[in-house]
Amino acid sequence: MSSVSQELKDTSVASSKWLDAHYDPVANLYTFSSCIALSDLHGDGENKLVAGDLGTGVCNMKLKVYHGTGLLSESTLLDLPTGMVSFLMDLHEPRTPAIAVASGPFIYVYKNLRPYFKFTLPSLEVNPLEQDVWSQAKEDMIDPMTLKEMLEGLRDKAEIPLSVRSLRFLMLEPQEMEDFVLLHKEQPIRRQTVITCIGTLKKNMADEDAVSCLVIGTENGDVYILDPEAFTILYKMSLPSTPNLMDVTGQFDVEFRITVACRNGNIYILRRDSPKPKYCIELSSHPVGLVRMGKNVVVGCSHETLHGYTQKGKKLWTAYLPAPVTTMALMDLPTRGFQAVLVGLANCEVHMYRDKNLVSTIKTPDVVTSICFGRYGREDGTLIMTTKGGGLIVKILKRTAVFEDRDSAPGPPIAQSIRLNVPKKTKLYVDQTLRERENAVAMHRAFQMDLSRLRLAAARAYVKALESSLTPMSASLTEPLKMNAVVQGLGPSFKLTLNIQNTAACRPVMNLAISFLYDENLYSMRTAFFKIPLLVPGLNYPIDTFVECLSDKGISDIIKVFVLREGKSAPLLTAHINMPVSEGLALN
Amino acid sequence: MKTDVQLPAATDLKKPRPKKAPELPILERRNWLIHLHYIRKDYETCKAIIKEQLHETQGMCEYAVYVQALIMRLEGKIQQSLELFQSCAILNPKSSDNLKQVARSLFLLGKHKAAIEVYNEAARLNQKDWEISHNLGVCYIYTKDFRSAEEQLNLALQLNKHDLTYMMLGKIHLLQGDTEKAIDVYKSAVEYVSIHNLTFKHTCFILYTMLLGKYQKAFEHLGNALTYDPNNFKAILAAGSMMQTHGDYDVAMNKYRVAAYSVPESPPLWNNIGMCFFGKKKYVAAISCLKRANYLSPFDWKILYNLGLVHLTMQQYASAFHFLSAAINLRPRMSELYMLLAVALTNLDDADNARRSYEQAVQLDESNLLVNLNFAVFLYNQGDKKAALLQFQEMERKVNTQVDSNINTEFDPELVEMAQKLGAALQAGENLYWSKPGKDSKSSQRSSSSKPSSSQQPLGTNQALGQAMSSAAGYSKSMQITAGAEPLSPSTSCHLHRSVHPNLQSQIFRCLFEWCIILM
């Protein structure tokens, strides 16, 4: 109840903080926070929204540019965009930023929305043995089968993994190998990796419009820093795992710090002076979002937690979230000196945190998959979100909005004042209590007496059942049998199914017979006596027989079933079947 | 998502010349996308992408198989996921990650020995992995090889000081009954674990202090833990039950209200609330709450015990009899239960069975004075002075051993009074501890018992007890001493303490056992 009221308050407050500028539920945008940027593409002082759209995830990838509420331009991308950044690559006037789209092993650089440059990741070292084998194949010294065997041998032992070509070759059927070798043998072997994340780093000045280097992380755990103009590799660092999220701060020529969240659940902090990670933060679950706030790093984890760390990897705080994190972004309002972390959650909410305190909550119509906060058009405080269903939401922060930095735990919890739901007792209960007080001894004795009687009755019934073999399990040790009976049908004819099972460990039971006893005026059976086949232990033998009800007076009776052994008069098992009343009339 | 396979557009970029070989797609090209969806818990999309990726690479993409296996494990298909992890390990035999996951699946399937083997293999590939050592330790715990478990966990601690490892190590020592070592572990945990993990730190500290018997300190830390996380159910319950033992019923109730809001169906919580009402002499409410607790957890003997006690107080002896006998059925080796049953039977005019029950209680009892005292009173009332004297002397012996070994030097005033009365009636008891006036002054010191579960654990002052007891004592007014004709009340209220206290413990230890590792 308390949380509900608090939520209500929050939403009302939040709705007053944001203006709903635009909402297009069918914008058809499939993108992530890493593929979305706000940039003054034309140098006219109006920021556009640039989004790398993953299309269907297979095809139809697009680079979309939005201006105002409309789509400004759309250009086809060649492969899935992994990340996208906007950066200034030179000092030429007018200062229009370029867009770098990372996809696969390439970075496509666009200027003025036109393709400008394509950077390809340096290829990885190829196994020399593999190279050897292929060069032999090229000179037709070995046939495809030998090639296959040699490559398989290499795959299992080699330190350096095989190239795609060899792996693909190994997957082929023998008849396809010949063509494959012919087609590919002339090409040099290459082993390529792909880009997994991209960021920017100021080259030598801290200004807003300074020239920036590109920082890229690759699938095999390398981090490269590229020169902004020549696109040469300025610096290379390596990580123990594949980078996943990246945050870069500082200047390349002075000092920088790259915080990288990796697929193995660790966060590594790289510094200018060493090609290996300087600090390592081991998280207990995968990082989903990584945002730097001032000197601290805020990490959202897949276990519904938000952690704050110093830039040296010391943990500062933990906040628990109500739902899994989908994405995170920084909300920075330098004009007001306000910074917060926006956390998109799977329960259709966006939470705003300042340190560990929840400052505000925004409800969204769908799960948010990417968040971007910044200047859009001419409006500084714009929040752009895309949703799982492909929607685009644009909200503008009201100039009057104030975020109070209230502590998350002020005073005692509200639940403390809620009355305990103690079950009430009736007057009858109190009366009975009084009666028990007065007559406890008599009640106790009566109870003990009845209990003894009950036990006696139960024991008698048990003995009787044992004597007449009425239990569902036979008591004899030589023929341990289990039987149950099922009656099916509405009448006048019923189907009687007896399920008989031999529960012995390994011995079969033979020479058994079944006989029925019933009122012949009421029922007729085709065979009231038959033999049962040999019973293999453990198997269930369903035995069907049909019963015809002769009476139309709506009366029913008991049919007794006896399981007999040849040469013994006492039955092994007895079952009394309470027949249902026949609902249909006999035809004859 | 459509599944038609398109070669990456990179190939379309250049005009396809007939002789030119098509560029082959990189196997790992969609790993990032799979990972992105996986960590966002968008498993449906993730599975679609994986399916497509595996189709494209004909099952050669290691990471796709790996994530598929992880998702399957989350869906409960452990066996299938194990097979997938094994195929990952074939695709890349050098990766310790794959082996770790194989081992983890084996662990989840309960094949601890096989898991240990695979973990050892993984450890050969990656020597310095905290996770491997820790999980190996946990596997060894399940195979009851505590020595190896300890070794591995210590190794894990050398690599990285994780909270989980401390908890498991402490648990091993507790399982082995080695309290000293457990205390050491918790102590070092308190020292090493960085300030951030306050709840963990407090848990450790509380366990540490409780094991030392320093309840006051433990309580302070519980209070601290509650300021950081005022809605922590376990901390509330622990703190509340401590307040309750000190007679702070209203404050405890305040805490319980918070807990009842977040976890409304907790049997221990309703038990403690019921005993709070009992302490405040609201017996009907107490019975209501205890019955709810009993409804929620019908096989908890502590709740039945308390129900029996409250019904005795309400003079509903017939009901009390049923609750107590149910409790005895669940816990047949506890002397106090037999004693309470005997009290109920005495009031139900069943002297023979009462005597038998007392005899059982005395036989099972080790240190509880009340059992002997109540039995003595009962025998005295039955006119069997000789046997009564014997029980009285047995009680004297227990008092003296307790005083001598310094376990307990403070006795409940009502118990003392009763003992003195009975002593006077039996012309015995002059040499009892409390009849010697000089010693009382120094008896205020309280030494800590090494066994936290000892029934005579002093928990603060006994005043709260006294209050509750005087109410509990009311039921015996019908019992008359034949000679003196003055009512003697066999005091049973000490059980209020016990009845609350074990819950506290079980709560604290429960959080210990709930720790488990989920690392991917």
Side-chain angles (χ1 to χ4, degrees), chain B residues 1 8 32 50 70 77 111 155 195 230 313 317 387 423 473 501:
Chain B
M1 208 164 284
W32 64 275
I50 289 172
L70 286 177
K77 299 169 189 159
K111 297 173 182 167
L155 204 64
I195 330 130
T313 317
Y317 302 114
H501 174 56

Side-chain angles (χ1 to χ4, degrees), chain A residues 185-370:
Chain A
K185 66 181 182 184
E186 297 301 325
Q187 301 290 319
I189 297 182
R190 282 201 313 185
R191 207 159 68 81
Q192 271 193 315
T193 183
V194 295
I195 299 171
T196 56
C197 55
I198 185 166
T200 57
L201 169 65
K202 298 266 188 290
K203 182 89 166 59
N204 47 20
M205 287 205 288
D207 301 353
E208 182 110 332
D209 58 350
V211 172
S212 301
C213 308
L214 288 179
V215 183
I216 50 176
T218 67
E219 178 76 28
N220 64 335
D222 287 332
V223 173
Y224 297 100
I225 300 178
L226 305 180
D227 182 80
E229 272 178 297
F231 291 100
T232 50
I233 293 168
L234 292 174
Y235 203 67
K236 181 190 168 188
M237 292 167 278
S238 56
L239 294 166
S241 175
T242 308
N244 169 28
L245 302 160
M246 184 189 271
D247 180 85
V248 191
T249 172
Q251 293 153 50
F252 178 75
D253 290 343
V254 188
E255 166 67 322
F256 62 84
R257 204 177 278 271
I258 306 177
T259 314
V260 196
C262 285
R263 244 177 239 171
N264 60 358
N266 293 351
I267 293 178
Y268 298 99
I269 298 165
L270 298 155
R271 302 261 308 256
R272 181 186 155 80
D273 38 25
S274 81
K276 290 269 171 205
K278 188 97 176 164
Y279 306 104
C280 167
I281 305 168
E282 283 189 18
L283 299 170
S284 55
S285 59
H286 282 291
V288 186
L290 176 77
V291 165
R292 192 176 36 79
M293 238 182 97
K295 294 213 154 184
N296 298 336
V297 178
V298 181
V299 189
C301 286
S302 59
H303 277 181
E304 305 179 11
T305 48
L306 197 67
H307 305 286
Y309 289 93
T310 63
Q311 53 186 355
K312 289 196 171 173
K314 201 167 166 238
K315 196 182 208 172
L316 293 172
W317 48 265
T318 299
Y320 296 91
L321 303 169
V325 183
T326 53
T327 187
M328 281 169 62
L330 178 70
M331 171 173 167
D332 189 12
L333 269 176
T335 47
R336 289 207 219 163
F338 180 81
Q339 274 199 330
V341 177
L342 295 162
V343 187
L345 300 176
N347 63 352
C348 298
E349 282 182 348
V350 176
H351 283 193
M352 191 193 289
Y353 279 89
R354 282 200 69 173
D355 285 341
K356 66 178 299 189
N357 302 326
L358 176 63
V359 186
S360 163
T361 306
I362 305 165
K363 292 249 180 207
T364 53
D366 192 2
V367 179
V368 166
T369 53
S370 74

Side-chain angles (χ1 to χ4, degrees), chain A residues 1-3 30-34 54 56-59 77-82 104-106 108 118 155-159 164-165 167-168 170-172 180 183-184 187 190 192-196 219 244-245 262-264 282-288 302-304 314-318 320 324-327 356 368-370 388 409 411 413 415-425 429-430 432-433 436-437 440-441 443-445 447-448, chain B residues 1-10 12-14 18-33 35-42 45 49 52 56-60 63 70 90-91 93-94 97 130 160 162 194-197 199 227-231 253-258 260-262 270 273 277 284-285 287-289 291-292 311 313-322 345 347-350 518-520:
Chain A
M1 276 156 271
S2 65
S3 62
Y30 171 30
T31 185
F32 301 105
S33 294
S34 57
L54 277 75
T56 61
V58 183
C59 54
L77 288 176
L78 302 168
D79 197 2
L80 290 176
T82 317
F106 311 107
Y108 300 98
K118 176 179 158 189
R155 182 177 67 181
D156 296 341
K157 291 198 293 278
E159 289 290 314
V164 188
R165 184 202 293 182
L167 290 173
R168 177 51 68 93
L170 291 177
M171 284 186 268
L172 294 176
F180 187 86
L183 187 62
H184 287 277
Q187 301 290 319
R190 282 201 313 185
Q192 271 193 315
T193 183
V194 295
I195 299 171
T196 56
E219 178 76 28
N244 169 28
L245 302 160
C262 285
R263 244 177 239 171
N264 60 358
E282 283 189 18
L283 299 170
S284 55
S285 59
H286 282 291
V288 186
S302 59
H303 277 181
E304 305 179 11
K314 201 167 166 238
K315 196 182 208 172
L316 293 172
W317 48 265
T318 299
Y320 296 91
V325 183
T326 53
T327 187
K356 66 178 299 189
V368 166
T369 53
S370 74
K388 200 175 172 185
Q416 194 159 316
S417 51
I418 296 170
R419 270 184 67 89
L420 268 182
N421 174 22
V422 177
K424 292 278 176 295
K425 287 294 176 202
Y429 170 80
V430 179
Q432 291 298 320
T433 312
E436 188 191 336
R437 263 189 214 188
V441 177
M443 284 164 98
H444 181 67
R445 291 208 174 129
F447 175 82
Q448 291 296 343
Chain B
M1 208 164 284
K2 287 199 319 190
T3 49
D4 53 338
V5 186
Q6 272 215 339
L7 278 181
D12 307 343
L13 187 64
K14 292 155 201 161
K19 282 280 177 167
K20 178 95 177 170
E23 214 160 312
L24 293 164
I26 300 163
L27 287 180
E28 298 97 19
R29 70 191 191 97
R30 269 195 226 134
N31 285 6
W32 64 275
L33 193 61
H35 181 75
L36 202 63
H37 284 288
Y38 173 69
I39 55 172
R40 289 176 177 207
K41 306 197 173 173
D42 187 358
T45 322
I49 299 170
E52 208 176 296
E56 184 183 302
T57 61
Q58 299 174 9
M60 296 291 274
Y63 190 73
L70 286 177
I90 293 168
L91 284 176
K94 296 234 154 53
D97 270 340
W130 160 81
N160 204 334
H162 265 270
S194 47
I195 330 130
H196 66 260
N197 201 337
T199 10
T227 37
Y228 285 105
D229 185 5
N231 292 318
M253 283 290 252
N254 270 340
K255 293 282 160 231
Y256 290 147
R257 271 190 213 126
V258 181
Y261 179 73
S262 56
W270 283 106
I273 293 176
F277 279 123
V284 178
I287 289 177
S288 289
C289 294
K291 279 191 173 164
R292 173 176 287 182
H311 279 100
T313 317
M314 291 287 278
Q315 300 168 44
Q316 288 172 265
Y317 302 114
S319 307
F321 170 81
H322 288 295
L345 284 168
N347 287 289
L348 289 168
D349 278 353
D350 193 348
I518 306 159
L519 256 177
M520 280 167 305

Side-chain angles (χ1 to χ4, degrees), chain B residues 352-381:
Chain B
D352 293 347
N353 284 324
R355 191 180 183 126
R356 259 185 250 159
S357 186
Y358 269 128
E359 275 160 6
Q360 185 75 26
V362 168
Q363 196 190 327
L364 293 171
D365 181 63
E366 279 164 2
S367 59
N368 196 344
L369 309 175
L370 284 166
V371 178
N372 299 100
L373 182 63
N374 279 340
F375 195 14
V377 171
F378 168 77
L379 290 169
Y380 184 79
N381 286 339

Side-chain angles (χ1 to χ4, degrees), chain A residues 284, chain B residues 130 134 153 157 161-170 200 515-519:
Chain A
S284 55
Chain B
W130 160 81
H134 176 87
L153 290 176
L157 279 182
K161 298 200 185 308
H162 265 270
D163 332 350
L164 280 175
T165 317
Y166 277 118
M167 276 308 200
M168 295 311 285
L169 199 58
F200 169 72
W515 290 93
C516 62
I517 16 107
I518 306 159
L519 256 177

Side-chain angles (χ1 to χ4, degrees), chain A residues 282, chain B residues 129-138 141 149-173 185-186 188-189 193 200 204 512 515-517 519:
Chain A
E282 283 189 18
Chain B
D129 191 330
W130 160 81
E131 196 189 335
I132 294 177
S133 303
H134 176 87
N135 286 349
L136 255 178
V138 177
I141 294 179
E150 207 182 314
E151 204 174 284
Q152 287 298 336
L153 290 176
N154 278 322
L155 204 64
L157 279 182
Q158 278 170 19
L159 294 171
N160 204 334
K161 298 200 185 308
H162 265 270
D163 332 350
L164 280 175
T165 317
Y166 277 118
M167 276 308 200
M168 295 311 285
L169 199 58
K171 186 183 153 185
I172 293 182
H173 291 312
V185 169
Y186 291 128
S188 55
V193 170
F200 169 72
C204 278
L512 214 174
W515 290 93
C516 62
I517 16 107
L519 256 177

Side-chain angles (χ1 to χ4, degrees), chain B residues 20 55 72 76 114 127 148 174 210-211 280 365 517:
Chain B
K20 178 95 177 170
H55 178 78
M72 279 193 150
Q127 295 281 333
S148 310
L174 286 178
M210 278 193 55
L211 288 171
K280 292 165 81 175
D365 181 63
I517 16 107

